[in-house]
Amino acid sequence: MKVNTPGLTPGTLFARETLWQSWLDVEAALAEVQAEMEMIPAWAAEGIRAAATLDKIGIEALQADIRVTHAPVLSMTRLLGRAAGEAGAYVHWGATTQNVMQTGRILLIRQADGAIRRALGAALDRLAEMAATHAGTLMAGRTNRQHALPITFGFKVAGWIEELTRAVDRLDGGGRRLFVLPFGGAVGAMHAFGPQGQELNTRLAARFGLGALLVPGRAINDLFADYVVQLALMAMTIERIAAELYLLMTEEIGEISETLDPGTVGSSTMPHKINPKFVVRVLAEAAELRGIAGSALETGRSSHEGDAAKNQLLSSVLDRAIPLAWTLAEGFDGLLRRIAVNAPRMERNARLSGGAIATEGLMMLLAPRAGRAVAHDLIHHALDRRAGGSVAEALKADGGLRAHLSEAEIDAALDPANYCGDSARIAQDAARMARELGRQIR
């Protein structure tokens, strides 16, 4: 049995009522498993299950009791016991507060994880389409923000795809470690459950579709911290992709733009401006999520068998990180759906240097005839001596080069479209990779 909350959104994921109902779900499942093991009567489990809804115990009554006790799970179990009648005597049998709260959180995080994965799967579909469509679209490859070698836009997208697959892989590992059952009583050694503790944990974990822990204690903050760090790394990847898109939207570059809805206004004072709208939000959310990693790592430094101070910090971290990751993943997919590629501008920019961007190819053509070092220096010095005119003219006028290469060979080597390496093949392979992973994670 997997607990699912219908209509869950990033805004309601850890809302008060959502959390409270998750605790009630845990209490009801605990009672049912204990009844199966004859730890409590079957009729008691039925009564607890029937009463385990906020409507039955009363939201206002629960809120009022919590104001008095400052112990939310104690208040909840007290009201659940009353609502369950005679069965209430068996509510929360052998459990402790953190067992219920941590398990409820994990079940909710797992639902958010599914939504994050669906959004990443959709984003991978968008990137796959982009890589395949533009496998042969010429553009300038840039290192240190300067033109390096010709590539295709599909090749650039391939790099984004492969990095995003690593983010998904890290999320897989974090989820595999986090989605376990921390239900071992007051300190994790299952004292109150007696000799049935291990079996209870195994059965209850199976009921929720969670893994089992050898030490199902309360000091498992490292698992939550681990998962949040994986989300932060996902944000880092999304931020890198979005930042490149944002840079390519620069007026002087103009290779990428957002498809905006009619009536969109860019500036209240500059009528000509239509600013990017979606990429900036993705960048802001990614930076915020990435920054939460430091606080997440603080939560893992809990003391002994339980630490309320670190748990309070952990709740705050999770309240921020998980909904933000969900929103970010969906926003990233939304951004990719609006990306427009200006292929002619990409080609024009790739040719700005007059073929200098492809001189490595010319060097490698010359190298077997003159030696690689000599080939490099011949081309470098020919360009260094250029006093006007085109790159091609300067190279064709150099006697050292012309001793080995014809004008036609030099012209062909200087065409950036002829020197994109394995860009097209890599782009198509990445598109297939993205489609397959997209199918898997959805």
Side-chain angles (χ1 to χ4, degrees):
M1 177 192 81
K2 286 197 174 183
V3 174
N4 286 300
T5 305
L8 205 60
T9 68
T12 62
L13 177 63
F14 294 137
R16 182 188 64 180
E17 289 82 0
T18 308
L19 281 170
W20 288 349
Q21 186 58 57
S22 76
W23 301 345
L24 289 168
D25 293 336
V26 171
E27 293 286 359
L30 172 65
E32 288 169 341
V33 171
Q34 288 176 326
E36 291 171 5
M37 297 175 61
E38 299 182 348
M39 295 174 70
I40 67 173
W43 58 264
E46 292 171 3
I48 292 168
R49 168 60 75 181
T53 68
L54 288 174
D55 289 340
K56 293 287 178 61
I57 70 172
I59 293 175
E60 291 182 3
L62 178 55
Q63 185 176 354
D65 203 73
I66 291 172
R67 281 198 295 266
V68 174
T69 67
H70 295 277
V73 173
L74 173 63
S75 293
M76 181 201 68
T77 55
R78 178 184 291 171
L79 294 179
L80 176 58
R82 291 176 189 167
E86 191 177 353
Y90 296 94
V91 167
H92 203 61
W93 196 261
T96 197
T97 292
Q98 279 301 113
N99 296 165
V100 176
M101 293 178 78
Q102 286 180 329
T103 302
R105 281 270 191 185
I106 286 170
L107 294 173
L108 291 173
I109 292 171
R110 186 173 61 184
Q111 291 186 65
D113 182 82
I116 291 167
R117 288 170 177 280
R118 286 190 292 275
L120 291 177
L124 283 163
D125 285 346
R126 303 286 82 73
L127 291 172
E129 182 181 352
M130 215 177 282
T133 300
H134 295 285
T137 299
L138 177 65
M139 75 176 300
R142 297 172 171 94
T143 58
N144 302 315
R145 301 204 171 188
Q146 306 297 308
H147 284 199
L149 292 174
I151 58 172
T152 69
F153 182 58
F155 170 79
K156 175 179 280 293
V157 176
W160 298 343
I161 287 170
E162 193 164 34
E163 185 169 340
L164 194 57
T165 66
R166 293 193 289 270
V168 171
D169 183 60
R170 287 189 289 264
L171 200 57
D172 287 344
R176 185 179 64 252
R177 290 184 289 274
L178 175 60
F179 301 141
V180 293
L181 181 70
F183 218 98
V187 296
M190 300 170 277
H191 290 67
F193 302 131
Q196 294 175 294
Q198 183 177 19
E199 184 181 356
L200 174 66
N201 261 272
T202 301
R203 290 194 183 200
L204 190 56
R207 174 69 63 98
F208 287 131
L210 297 173
L213 285 167
L214 174 63
V215 184
R218 298 159 54 181
I220 61 161
N221 291 6
D222 67 298
L223 300 181
F224 292 101
D226 175 11
Y227 185 77
V228 172
V229 168
Q230 307 319 317
L231 292 178
L233 287 166
M234 177 195 78
M236 178 191 72
T237 292
I238 290 175
E239 186 177 4
R240 189 179 90 80
I241 297 169
E244 287 202 7
L245 289 168
Y246 193 30
L247 182 62
L248 295 176
M249 292 176 191
T250 305
E251 194 86 28
E252 293 83 357
I253 300 174
E255 296 176 3
I256 294 293
S257 61
E258 290 182 351
T259 303
L260 300 176
D261 299 327
T264 300
V265 176
S267 168
S268 63
T269 188
M270 293 172 283
H272 70 283
K273 289 201 74 181
I274 303 179
N275 299 323
K277 302 292 186 182
F278 294 86
V279 68
V280 292
R281 181 165 185 169
V282 167
L283 286 169
E285 290 175 345
E288 183 181 355
L289 178 54
R290 184 167 46 79
I292 296 174
S295 297
L297 293 173
E298 283 296 314
T299 70
R301 299 169 60 246
S302 55
S303 64
H304 302 294
E305 282 66 54
D307 188 331
K310 294 302 182 185
N311 289 342
Q312 288 204 20
L313 175 60
L314 178 61
S315 294
S316 176
V317 166
L318 295 175
D319 283 348
R320 292 169 59 208
I322 309 301
L324 182 57
W326 186 346
T327 301
L328 173 62
E330 291 185 341
F332 179 52
D333 175 47
L335 167 64
L336 294 178
R337 291 173 186 270
R338 290 178 175 269
I339 290 301
V341 178
N342 189 336
R345 187 70 172 264
M346 285 183 173
E347 180 167 355
R348 192 183 88 181
N349 288 344
R351 296 185 183 279
L352 280 175
S353 67
I357 193 172
T359 52
E360 184 197 64
L362 179 64
M363 180 187 73
M364 295 309 295
L365 178 65
L366 179 59
R369 310 176 196 188
R372 199 213 65 85
V374 171
H376 175 278
D377 290 345
L378 282 172
I379 295 169
H380 175 77
H381 293 315
L383 293 176
D384 201 38
R385 290 192 297 267
R386 181 164 64 111
S390 69
V391 169
E393 289 169 346
L395 293 171
K396 287 187 286 189
D398 187 89
L401 279 166
R402 288 301 312 282
H404 300 285
L405 299 173
S406 68
E407 290 190 6
E409 287 177 312
I410 292 173
D411 284 333
L414 291 178
D415 185 348
N418 293 336
Y419 196 65
C420 291
D422 217 5
S423 291
R425 194 269 307 166
I426 291 171
Q428 295 291 1
D429 285 353
R432 285 188 286 272
M433 175 193 297
R435 291 191 193 101
E436 177 58 29
L437 181 57
R439 282 193 293 269
Q440 289 176 12
I441 66 177
R442 284 198 305 277

